[in-house]
Amino acid sequence: MRSVGSLLKRLAKIVLVLLLLVVAGGLVWLYTMPPDLLRVGSGYAAKIVCSNVFLAGRDESEVLAEDVQAPGHPLLRLMRVSVDRPAQRVSAALLGQIAPSAAVYRPGLGCAVVPQGSTAAALDLPEAGPGAAVQAGAGLWPNGEGVEANAAVAALLARDDLVGPGFRAVVVVRNGAIVGERYAAGFNDKTPLLGWSMTKTVNAALIGRLIDEGRMRLDERNLMPQWAGDARRDITLAQLLAMESGLAFNEDYGTVADVTRMLYLQPDMAAFTASLPLEGTPGQRFSYSSGTAVLLSRIWMDRLSDRATALAFPRDALFAPLGMTSAVMEVDASGTFVGSSYLYASARDWARFGLFLAQNGMWKGVRLLPDGFVAAMAEPTTASGGWYSRMQTWLPRPSERADMPADTFNLQGHDGQTVTVIPSRGLVVVRLGLTPWSARYSTMPLIKGILRMYP
């Protein structure tokens, strides 16, 4: 019996040693050759913390816990971040060691993930400073800070079921005046908030500015140099704007797909997307693509005289004229605006942009967008089944259209960001927050309640 017991002990020790070797080998593998899923996670953590710390002035622990870990993949709960304020840099890694990534902040340009040793290139960009200060007047918004509060609107916004779980800001504009607003604890009318894919519509408006100046045309082809020798040269600017380019692009955020690879693993996002092949005939199939929006950024930036002019263009052509002093559109490590995803602005500044669209691209009597450009934002495309417009906006779902004015369109972003624009009613409704799709929240009950007040 003693020999059997001794043998079992020896076997147990051997098994334990083998298990330890397997665990150690696994840790070495994770440390030296981390899978892309972990690198995406650390890149995401570094980017979100960096932008919220250096743009919004929020506490890094709060951002990590509330914005990164609480609503995200379980692996994100194992991410640890380190903020180097003098260097304006955020590092993130699984358990603080595995699959490290970093993001760097540049004044006026926000934060960029710096994968694959691209830090030097990112830091070599000219700064896009804040420009001339715009002083708010003593009058009503948007020229001043005053609001025309409506008690009935305030009562509507006080309902948690209408503003939704995880809301951070709601602003209602009627005929150019703020008639109601509400903010969650820790946020206010000055806090820059991420619009995610609402950035696409702002990016389209920048193209509209260049069209108005005669520097771009919707029927243009031969848009990227690397497409000159194949069928991609026939893709038009209008097809890119309508998400009908025919380019392959996987927008699945639940895995390591084209969109997450582009946003968190690629220093040059436009070059990555431009390298993808056609998977359909341009103009015949709708395929929502954040890569398309980044291509649009590269295309319009290349129409300007130099890099410094291009980096200052969002501020000079749009944000400064509209008084969007909090707005920062972020660039990737190569210096291309991430026109798909990364614009931070206060709720009131998002409302300024919505009001600009509700006024048909006019601001203070000056036309900034070509006549008809905003109308295309409410014009459904056949290829999308009527859900998407010709100009980087979403339209009400078929089940909702009977109750909505025909000119209604929406800017929509990940995790519950919306700006609803209804020009015929003079209405703009901004709703920002952190509301994962699993919450099944919709702004439609809120919008319909406001419409009943302003028939």
Side-chain angles (χ1 to χ4, degrees), residues 125-146:
L125 298 175
E127 292 186 6
V134 178
Q135 297 296 327
L140 294 174
W141 180 94
N143 300 316
E145 296 296 326

Side-chain angles (χ1 to χ4, degrees), residues 96-116:
Q97 297 292 327
I98 298 168
S101 290
V104 296
Y105 170 74
R106 286 76 41 85
L109 301 174
C111 290
V113 180
V114 285
Q116 301 176 10

Side-chain angles (χ1 to χ4, degrees), residues 26-278:
L27 290 173
V28 170
W29 171 70
L30 287 173
Y31 187 81
T32 58
M33 294 183 293
D36 285 347
L37 177 63
L38 298 184
R39 295 175 57 223
V40 166
S42 62
Y44 172 76
K47 170 69 181 64
I48 296 300
V49 171
C50 182
S51 295
N52 278 279
V53 167
F54 292 108
L55 286 177
R58 297 176 61 201
D59 176 75
E60 59 262 36
S61 299
E62 172 191 297
V63 176
L64 178 64
E66 295 183 4
D67 295 56
V68 175
Q69 295 177 333
H73 192 283
L75 282 173
L76 293 174
R77 294 180 176 85
L78 301 177
M79 289 295 168
R80 305 292 180 264
V81 298
S82 174
V83 178
D84 185 338
R85 280 179 167 77
Q88 298 181 315
R89 178 187 177 97
V90 173
S91 302
L94 187 77
L95 301 175
Q97 297 292 327
I98 298 168
S101 290
V104 296
Y105 170 74
R106 286 76 41 85
L109 301 174
C111 290
V113 180
V114 285
Q116 301 176 10
S118 54
T119 304
L123 294 176
D124 193 38
L125 298 175
E127 292 186 6
V134 178
Q135 297 296 327
L140 294 174
W141 180 94
N143 300 316
E145 296 296 326
V147 303
E148 294 182 341
N150 181 315
V153 173
L156 205 66
L157 299 186
R159 289 179 51 181
D160 291 343
D161 61 318
L162 293 182
V163 298
F167 101 95
R168 290 178 171 178
V170 180
V171 177
V172 181
V173 175
R174 163 72 169 171
N175 289 340
I178 291 177
V179 294
E181 59 186 337
R182 179 185 172 189
Y183 298 92
F187 301 89
N188 57 44
D189 61 357
K190 303 294 193 299
T191 307
L193 295 168
L194 176 58
W196 284 111
S197 286
M198 297 200 303
T199 308
K200 292 177 171 70
T201 314
V202 179
N203 200 40
L206 293 170
I207 290 172
R209 296 287 287 124
L210 291 171
I211 290 174
D212 192 56
E213 295 174 3
R215 301 196 208 188
M216 300 183 78
R217 301 187 326 275
L218 291 175
D219 62 352
E220 281 187 63
R221 302 172 188 268
N222 297 312
L223 297 171
M224 299 293 291
Q226 52 268 64
W227 295 351
D230 59 60
R232 294 175 297 176
R233 67 182 179 276
D234 293 325
I235 298 171
T236 66
L237 182 63
Q239 288 165 346
L240 287 172
L241 287 163
M243 298 290 186
E244 298 175 1
S245 69
L247 287 171
F249 196 84
N250 185 331
E251 190 78 10
D252 183 1
Y253 284 88
T255 182
V256 181
D258 292 333
V259 63
T260 49
R261 190 176 299 279
M262 178 188 79
L263 290 174
Y264 304 112
L265 302 182
Q266 297 294 325
D268 189 336
M269 299 185 192
F272 168 75
T273 305
S275 70
L276 298 176
L278 280 176

Side-chain angles (χ1 to χ4, degrees), residues 318-440:
L318 199 61
F319 302 154
L322 270 54
M324 295 174 63
T325 56
S326 70
V328 174
M329 197 178 211
E330 298 180 298
V331 301
D332 68 8
S334 75
T336 299
F337 284 105
V338 188
S340 64
S341 313
Y342 290 145
L343 173 63
Y344 279 79
S346 69
R348 286 191 174 188
D349 278 351
W350 280 109
R352 280 184 170 87
F353 182 70
L355 177 60
F356 170 59
L357 299 180
Q359 295 175 163
N360 193 29
M362 301 278 292
W363 196 259
K364 296 183 178 180
V366 177
R367 175 161 293 287
L368 299 179
L369 296 178
D371 192 26
F373 192 86
V374 174
M377 294 183 177
E379 185 176 333
T381 62
T382 301
S384 70
W387 286 39
Y388 205 73
S389 79
R390 296 196 296 113
M391 204 57 66
Q392 301 276 284
T393 56
W394 291 93
L395 304 176
R397 296 172 181 270
S399 60
E400 300 164 342
R401 288 173 195 162
D403 300 322
M404 303 297 293
D407 60 348
T408 303
F409 61 89
N410 299 298
L411 289 65
Q412 291 185 1
H414 181 59
D415 280 346
Q417 323 312 318
T418 61
V419 176
T420 300
V421 182
I422 311 177
S424 61
R425 300 285 186 91
L427 279 174
V428 175
V429 181
V430 176
R431 191 276 182 188
L432 302 167
L434 185 60
T435 309
W437 67 269
S438 57
R440 303 299 183 190

